[in-house]
Each structure stands twice: as C-alpha cells, then as structure tokens.
Amino acid sequence: MSSENSPQSPEQQLRKPRVAVVFGGRSSEHAISVVTAGAVLRSIDRTKYDVLPIGITTDGRWALTADDPERMAIADRALPSVDQIAESTDGGVVLSIDPGNREVVYSEPGSVPKALGEVDVVFPVLHGPYGEDGTLQGLLELSGVPYVGAGVLASAVGQDKEYMKRVFTSFGLPVGPYLVIRPREWEQGPEGAEGAAAREKITDFAAEHGWPLFVKPARAGSSMGITKVEDASGLDEAIAEARRHDPKILVESLLRGREIECGVLEFEDGPRASVPAEIPPVTAHDFYDFEAKYIDSAAGLVPAPLTEEQTAEVQRLAVEAFEAVSCEGLVRADFFLTEDGEFVINEINTLPGFTPISMFPRMWQESGVGYPELIDRLIQAALRRPTGLR
C-alpha cells in the first residue's frame, strides 16, 4: 500500500476534484445518515467539485442513487432510506482496492460493468458501526483514496465509548463514572438466570453512584438504544433495548448539570474549536433522545450562555480530546457542566450529523464558517492528507 497519495495526472489536474458522498449503511443510524447526505449534497459547491452519490443499503449493497436531496429528508415523521432512492434494486458499485486505481465501477447482473470514472476523495457521512467505526476507513486506506474525517484508529476509538473513555482518562481528561457490561457477562449463568452477575454489578454501581442510571449501547450514536433507568426494576428492559444495537453495553451515572457541545475543525495550521452550544432541558422528553434530536427538532442554544472563562475552558478540552484520540478533519465533543462548575467530557463524535438542525454546522456558522465553507474545508483537508501511515 502506498504511504502517500498518488501524483495527479494531467487529466486530473485539469478537471474538478471528484467527491464520492457515501451514506446510508448497515447501522441503526441509516436514516440519519441519509438525511445528513441530503444536506451535504444540497450545499456542496458544484462549480468546484464533481459529485457522485453512493448509498449503502441496510444489507450492505453499494448502490448508485439519485442526486436528489429533497428525497433524503424526514417528511411527515417518516425516515428516508437508500432503497428509496437507489437507481437499481440489484446493481452494485465497486471501489478498487488497488491503491494505483481509483476507478469506480458499476455493474448489474447480466450486464457489462460500467466505469464511472476516478474518485479523488470520499466524503463519508455514515454514522455508527460499518462506517464511522474504522471499517470504511480501512477500506479507503487499502484503496489509497483520501477521505474526510478521522483515520482507522481514531474512528474505532471514537465509536467505542468504553475505549474512548479509557483514552480520555489516560490523557487526564475528566470523565464521569461508568461501567461496561461485555456480552459474555450478560449471557453467562445457569438457564433462567442469565445476567445475574451483571445485574449485581450494575446494582452495586448504583449503590455507589445513585439512581437513575443511563444504559446505552457501547458502539452506537444518535441516542439510539439509550434508556434512563430509575431503579433496578427497569434494568432488564433497558439492557434488552441497548443490546438490540450492540452486545456490549455501557452504564453511566447521572451527571447533574448542563449539556454543552463544542465543535473542532481542522484548519491549515491545526485544529480549532468553535463557539460552544448548550442543549437545554427537553420538557417533552426524559432526556435528549433520538425523537428530541431528529423528529421534534429540539433547539440548542448557539452560542451557549457561558462566561468567557467557561467558553475558553470547554474549547481547550474539546481540542485536547481531538488530539488525544488522534482525530482528523472534525469532531463534535459533548460535555456536562456540573453543578460544581467543572466540565466533564461525555463523548466525541468523529462524524457528527450535518442535518439542517445538527449542532456541529450551527456552531461553526456562529463561529464564522458557513455550511458550504465547512464542507469545502473538510474536503480540502482530506485532499491535503496522505493515505497510509501519517
């Protein structure tokens, strides 16, 4: 595998860079990825870039899709999917894993494969496993194709909340109390008593840190599979819901305070932090869950009403988290500002949402970087960066 991008041919130098926007995917966040892709396709500068939309269906097929952002939005509370906009029900897109060949090929059963031309950079807007977790990034590294966002390791760490927190702790970043329940811990035990040891482990954790607790999948996002548990009677149902998304689950204590977010973006001279935002209490929901984020469009406060000192501190911590995980391109860092006035980092998101109501573009808009410029900076940062070891 080449350790740096191949030199551009005279033909490549004359034409516009070709951006493949890859979206959808096999995770439970499929629909949100489609919505994000619609927003990116609507705003990307077509005078500067050629664009190739590629959707991944829920069963993993790479499909050519309509370049039609209007069909990628949430309409009447109905979520979109790649299958709805795919140009064929059985045709597939193939990206070469030869680092000297960036040609994209489309084929259908019984037909001669059709070359779609070379791709200069991939803009992945996949969320969750099989896209945001280093798997797609590894494929693109093998293919020698530059891509927007974090590399293989940072993507994997950023997806797995357990190891993310372990990295934060090793770098001295403040992390709240948490507990990990691995698959075998829940599955082991005599018939009819599966999970007894795990239940006891969680109740011991609650005895130390108090109820309520949050039970969540260790490797999911968009608030998928999260349950706020008030006492031990709700544990089994909460664990079952989390395990629908991931066999490994995370249990976190409730941190009382304000929810603060901060964006980090890679500039030519290094990462910079945006103005922070605050997620106010959502009265119609128990916490900032999927419905509040994407269906009921809960509005965040941008910029967050913080003091200058608090703003500077959360910006510093956001950049430190970006560097600790070796991120590239972009990150949204989520914090709690506790009642004691201390910031505690909850998690980072290496491919945050770009929907019209998403906090990451809103924070950068308030920081002076509008949506089209934000997309352009991410693509340009990817084009500057070599694939391979760096």
Side-chain angles (χ1 to χ4, degrees):
M1 179 174 66
S2 171
S3 62
E4 57 185 20
N5 295 337
S6 304
Q8 287 194 326
S9 66
E11 180 186 355
Q12 288 174 311
Q13 293 171 359
L14 288 173
R15 65 175 173 79
K16 293 182 288 188
R18 196 155 196 232
V19 181
V21 178
V22 180
F23 61 96
R26 293 163 56 190
S27 84
S28 55
E29 298 174 76
H30 177 98
I32 297 309
S33 174
V34 177
V35 176
T36 295
V40 171
L41 290 171
R42 188 179 294 109
S43 301
I44 195 168
D45 187 350
R46 303 305 178 102
T47 67
K48 192 170 182 177
Y49 303 107
D50 284 328
V51 180
L52 177 66
I54 299 175
I56 302 177
T57 64
T58 53
D59 60 3
R61 178 173 63 93
W62 289 44
L64 275 183
T65 68
D67 188 357
D68 187 355
E70 300 308 316
R71 293 172 62 193
M72 301 181 185
I74 297 173
D76 297 324
R77 302 177 76 88
L79 300 174
S81 72
V82 168
D83 288 293
Q84 295 169 356
I85 55 173
E87 295 188 352
S88 166
T89 58
D90 50 11
V93 175
V94 177
L95 180 67
S96 171
I97 58 169
D98 176 0
N101 176 17
R102 295 180 182 173
E103 189 88 6
V104 175
V105 175
Y106 176 74
S107 63
E108 293 189 70
S111 301
V112 176
K114 176 185 176 182
L116 300 178
E118 291 192 343
V119 166
D120 297 296
V121 62
V122 169
F123 197 134
V125 289
L126 296 123
H127 304 308
Y130 314 110
E132 190 180 354
D133 59 350
T135 50
L136 176 66
Q137 290 74 14
L139 172 64
L140 296 173
E141 292 286 352
L142 289 173
S143 302
V145 179
Y147 54 93
V148 169
V152 175
L153 175 65
S155 296
V157 171
Q159 184 64 38
D160 191 314
K161 294 177 176 63
E162 175 194 357
Y163 288 99
M164 180 199 308
K165 291 175 185 291
R166 289 182 183 272
V167 170
F168 289 158
T169 301
S170 72
F171 277 82
L173 291 162
V175 173
Y178 70 97
L179 178 70
V180 177
I181 302 295
R182 302 182 187 283
R184 64 179 179 272
E185 292 182 88
W186 184 252
E187 294 160 4
Q188 68 188 9
E191 188 173 349
E194 294 89 345
R199 257 186 234 97
E200 183 179 355
K201 187 176 175 181
I202 295 171
T203 53
D204 287 347
F205 178 81
E208 181 179 357
H209 299 288
W211 299 92
L213 302 175
F214 286 94
V215 176
K216 60 177 65 175
R219 294 163 292 194
S222 296
S223 298
M224 291 284 189
I226 301 178
T227 305
K228 184 179 180 182
V229 183
E230 299 292 344
D231 55 48
S233 66
L235 273 181
D236 283 11
E237 186 178 349
I239 290 169
E241 172 61 18
R243 282 172 55 81
R244 283 201 314 112
H245 301 270
D246 188 348
K248 182 169 77 167
I249 65 171
L250 202 73
V251 179
E252 296 175 336
S253 65
L254 173 67
L255 292 178
R256 301 189 185 279
R258 299 160 62 187
E259 293 188 50
I260 306 294
E261 298 183 349
C262 189
V264 179
L265 183 64
E266 182 181 342
F267 286 74
E268 290 81 357
D269 60 351
R272 302 182 197 170
S274 70
V275 299
E278 179 170 3
I279 308 300
V282 185
T283 55
H285 300 265
D286 212 17
F287 60 96
Y288 195 48
D289 61 6
F290 179 87
E291 289 267 329
K293 283 183 179 180
Y294 299 110
I295 304 299
D296 294 340
S297 306
L301 304 176
V302 187
L306 300 172
T307 67
E308 289 185 15
E309 292 77 12
Q310 288 171 329
T311 296
E313 176 66 2
V314 76
Q315 289 174 327
R316 179 186 70 81
L317 289 170
V319 172
E320 282 194 12
F322 181 97
E323 299 282 33
V325 182
S326 298
C327 292
E328 295 167 299
L330 71 164
V331 147
R332 193 195 71 231
D334 300 345
F335 297 85
F336 291 104
L337 177 56
T338 68
E339 294 173 341
D340 296 332
E342 301 295 325
F343 283 103
V344 174
I345 188 164
N346 184 36
E347 61 183 68
I348 59 169
N349 194 317
T350 58
L351 281 175
F354 273 73
T355 68
I357 61 169
S358 294
M359 298 308 297
F360 186 83
R362 288 183 61 196
M363 288 187 287
W364 279 107
Q365 177 75 44
E366 189 68 24
S367 303
V369 180
Y371 200 114
E373 182 186 350
L374 180 61
I375 292 171
D376 183 60
R377 283 192 172 277
L378 290 169
I379 293 171
Q380 290 300 316
L383 288 169
R384 288 195 302 270
R385 210 165 43 235
T387 53
L389 299 177
R390 52 190 183 273

